[in-house]
Amino acid sequence: MSRIRWHAIAGVAAAAAVVLGLVVVAPASGAATVTATFEKTQSWDTGWEGRYTIRNSGSAELSGWRLTFTLGSGSVTSAWDAQLSSSGTEYTFANLSWNGTIPAGGSASFGFNASGTGTPTGCALNGVSCDGGSVPPTTTTTPTTSNPPDEPGEPGEPGQKLVGYFANWGVYDRHYYVKNIATSRSAAKLTHINYAFGNVQGGRCAVGDSYADYEKTYSAADSVDGVGDTWDQPLAGNFNQLRKLKKMYPGLKVIWSFGGWTWSGGFGEAARNPEAFADSCYKLVEDPRWADVFDGIDIDWEYPNACGLTCDTSGPKAFGNLVKALRSRFGSNLVTAAITADASSGGKIDATDYAAAAQYVDWYMVMTYDFFGAWDTTGPTAPHSPLRAYDGIPNPSFNTDSAITKLKGKGVPPGKLLLGIGFYGRGWTGVTQLAPGGRATGPARGTYEQGIEDYKVLKNTCRATNTIAGTAYGLCGSDWWSYDTPDTIRGKRTYAGSQSLGGMFFWELSGDTSDGELISAMSGS
């Protein structure tokens, strides 16, 4: 996340996929010629991850697919990019609304997690044995949405976090107010709001924008409760609006976030005297004027002992010392942190001891977005928030699953990890190729910044037509955009549940539609 540019470079490669079997379906008149390739992409002590890729090498379009197999040992626990159902030891994976048609020469894939050590047997595609035969279009009815079955530990269930960032500058050109959180029906679905951003200056926490934070007065039409501000009231601005919102939704918590892309440069000085920094933050967050508004503090340091807008050399223990001091000063109040998803060898996760620091935070928000973007002006085009690596990805170490896997491997409890979603797209212009990997001439035009655009705009101006690695993309004229949709978010929600993560978070509220499409998908509603 950032005030100017949300550029959280991230990622790490998953284990190399090993092709375990290739099943070929013979051609027939009027039917597509299809192969289904199975890969066991990862394995661990208690289970494994698999993937099927369905390729249409014929001249006819395949319209709708349904793949079944039997698993004699263990069970399938979750799936993404397909609708999962089961009967005993037989598992069925049906296409979703966006990946049901496979053109001649095209492909579709889906993935799943399974317990035990078994391997799929008895594969069938549209009712025809995968060992041979023709594959006609499926006659089954496919859901129009991909809402997967709930699983224990998924976001939106009791005890799971759904955290959204509110950017204080959104009240200006964007005209996004705290009231919109309520009118979009999102407030009832959120567990926490992170208020961004406070500044870090002189080794201390500081107010970021006093006018937006606590001075701007609101008319009755723009106020959460329909009551306008008066000129002489003791607290106005977003802080007063958040106070009103919490009164309407008593279970909602608000956390003040400090730093971000633009203001992370002050953390290095703060780390030289963590106790003084923590004390300054506590006194600011608990200022009597707004002490009832905030339930804790969030640190968005981009990046400890590494480079973001500026470079930090404070060492691998500095971040841990900082959050330890915050925990000591804030006591039982919330202490959270947004952290890098750069899990490449020697990358930003390796630069900081996040595992040792985890004992002092309530949770980490892993910024699993902005892996790729038009800061690489000529491309190649790539989705900015891939769930996993895919063939042709510009850097196979940049993907969500690799970051989560690395953090868990280092000893960070999965329940303290929240998966990140961007409510925006990244785009290039001068592109002629729909598939990822195309060349470009620069960033696509955005409303507020080149190369970036809100989901609520893109869903109308450049509708995603394809998916890869759990995220969506589309080509509109010469502009190529990638972004998450309600369908791809549901897939990531399933992934978060399968990994026993503590929940999900997103950047940021104003990017969603007026009726909260993306937040609804994240909450499972």
Side-chain angles (χ1 to χ4, degrees):
M1 288 94 48
S2 74
R3 187 179 176 87
I4 295 177
R5 183 177 72 182
W6 309 304
H7 186 177
I9 300 298
V12 69
V18 179
V19 177
L20 297 183
L22 179 67
V23 285
V24 181
V25 182
S29 177
T33 305
V34 176
T35 63
T37 306
F38 170 63
E39 301 170 284
K40 184 172 282 189
T41 51
Q42 285 195 71
S43 61
W44 51 91
D45 290 344
T46 59
W48 51 278
E49 177 185 286
R51 178 172 62 197
Y52 269 98
T53 299
I54 304 168
R55 290 186 173 89
N56 183 4
S57 58
S59 58
E61 178 182 89
L62 179 66
S63 179
W65 51 264
R66 178 179 292 269
L67 188 148
T68 62
F69 62 72
T70 298
L71 195 62
S73 174
S75 61
V76 175
T77 57
S78 64
W80 50 94
D81 297 339
Q83 188 81 12
L84 171 65
S85 59
S86 64
S87 176
T89 60
E90 184 179 84
Y91 296 89
T92 300
F93 302 82
N95 64 270
L96 304 178
S97 59
W98 46 264
N99 64 356
T101 299
I102 305 179
S107 65
S109 62
F110 65 87
F112 58 93
N113 285 325
S115 63
T117 58
T119 299
T121 60
C123 176
L125 190 59
N126 288 6
V128 178
S129 172
C130 291
D131 295 328
S134 62
V135 177
T138 181
T139 57
T140 57
T141 302
T142 303
T144 57
T145 62
S146 61
N147 194 8
D150 283 342
E151 299 180 24
E154 284 194 340
E157 294 183 353
Q160 293 299 298
K161 289 84 178 175
L162 179 49
V163 183
Y165 274 84
F166 180 93
N168 59 358
W169 60 91
V171 302
Y172 298 122
D173 291 346
R174 291 174 174 267
H175 303 290
Y176 189 88
Y177 307 128
V178 175
K179 176 183 178 179
N180 297 111
I181 308 174
T183 58
S184 64
R185 299 187 296 278
S186 298
K189 300 167 186 174
L190 293 169
T191 61
H192 300 78
I193 293 172
N194 277 11
Y195 184 81
F197 281 112
N199 204 343
V200 182
Q201 294 179 317
R204 303 289 189 271
C205 280
V207 170
D209 182 340
S210 62
Y211 179 74
D213 293 348
Y214 55 85
E215 295 170 353
K216 174 180 169 61
T217 56
Y218 284 84
S219 67
D222 293 333
S223 180
V224 169
D225 60 359
V227 178
D229 293 339
T230 61
W231 67 269
D232 59 345
Q233 67 187 51
L235 183 70
N238 291 328
F239 288 0
N240 185 50
Q241 293 296 306
L242 287 167
R243 174 185 282 165
K244 292 183 175 185
L245 187 69
K246 289 182 68 175
K247 186 175 181 180
M248 294 173 64
Y249 299 90
L252 185 63
K253 306 295 183 184
V254 179
I255 306 170
W256 196 346
S257 184
F258 289 83
W261 179 257
T262 304
W263 287 341
S264 283
F267 281 115
E269 184 177 354
R272 288 195 285 269
N273 191 340
E275 289 74 21
F277 171 73
D279 186 60
S280 74
C281 297
Y282 183 82
K283 289 176 179 176
L284 182 60
V285 173
E286 294 296 317
D287 185 295
R289 291 172 291 177
W290 50 71
D292 60 323
V293 173
F294 297 106
D295 300 281
I297 186 171
D298 173 64
I299 298 300
D300 189 347
W301 184 352
E302 303 181 22
Y303 300 95
N305 201 38
C307 295
L309 183 62
T310 59
C311 291
D312 174 71
T313 57
S314 55
K317 302 296 183 183
F319 174 80
N321 292 336
L322 203 70
V323 294
K324 179 181 180 181
L326 288 169
R327 171 57 66 204
S328 177
R329 190 67 180 89
F330 277 78
S332 60
N333 289 336
L334 294 170
V335 176
T336 69
I339 66 171
T340 178
D342 175 9
S344 56
S345 179
K348 293 180 176 68
I349 289 178
D350 287 337
T352 293
D353 195 348
Y354 287 109
Q359 62 185 303
Y360 304 115
V361 301
D362 290 278
W363 60 78
Y364 287 139
M365 289 165 290
V366 190
M367 294 184 280
T368 46
Y369 39 75
D370 289 352
F371 291 98
F372 306 102
W375 46 85
D376 295 320
T377 55
T378 60
T381 58
H384 80 88
S385 58
L387 183 58
R388 290 175 175 79
Y390 59 90
D391 292 343
I393 191 170
N395 187 330
S397 69
F398 281 13
N399 66 85
T400 296
D401 179 64
S402 296
I404 297 299
T405 299
K406 186 159 193 175
L407 287 163
K408 289 169 66 175
K410 284 180 172 289
V412 179
K416 286 196 173 187
L417 296 175
L418 273 59
L419 185 148
I421 301 290
F423 279 13
Y424 58 91
R426 292 276 183 190
W428 286 263
T429 194
V431 182
T432 59
Q433 175 178 310
L434 170 61
R439 308 308 298 180
T441 59
R445 185 174 182 178
T447 303
Y448 304 102
E449 178 186 348
Q450 288 190 329
I452 188 169
E453 186 59 271
D454 292 343
Y455 167 77
K456 67 175 182 281
V457 175
L458 288 173
K459 67 164 293 189
N460 297 313
T461 62
C462 190
R463 184 171 292 274
T465 58
N466 295 68
T467 62
I468 192 168
T471 191
Y473 64 91
L475 179 66
C476 303
S478 64
D479 289 345
W480 191 97
W481 290 96
S482 74
Y483 55 94
D484 274 312
T485 65
D487 273 349
T488 64
I489 286 174
R490 290 183 185 106
K492 291 183 176 182
R493 180 177 182 266
T494 299
Y495 170 85
S498 73
Q499 297 295 312
S500 300
L501 303 188
M504 301 176 76
F505 80 99
F506 61 88
W507 179 271
E508 45 87 16
L509 279 153
S510 70
D512 204 354
T513 60
S514 60
D515 58 351
E517 283 183 18
L518 300 185
I519 293 174
S520 292
M522 291 183 74
S523 69
S525 58

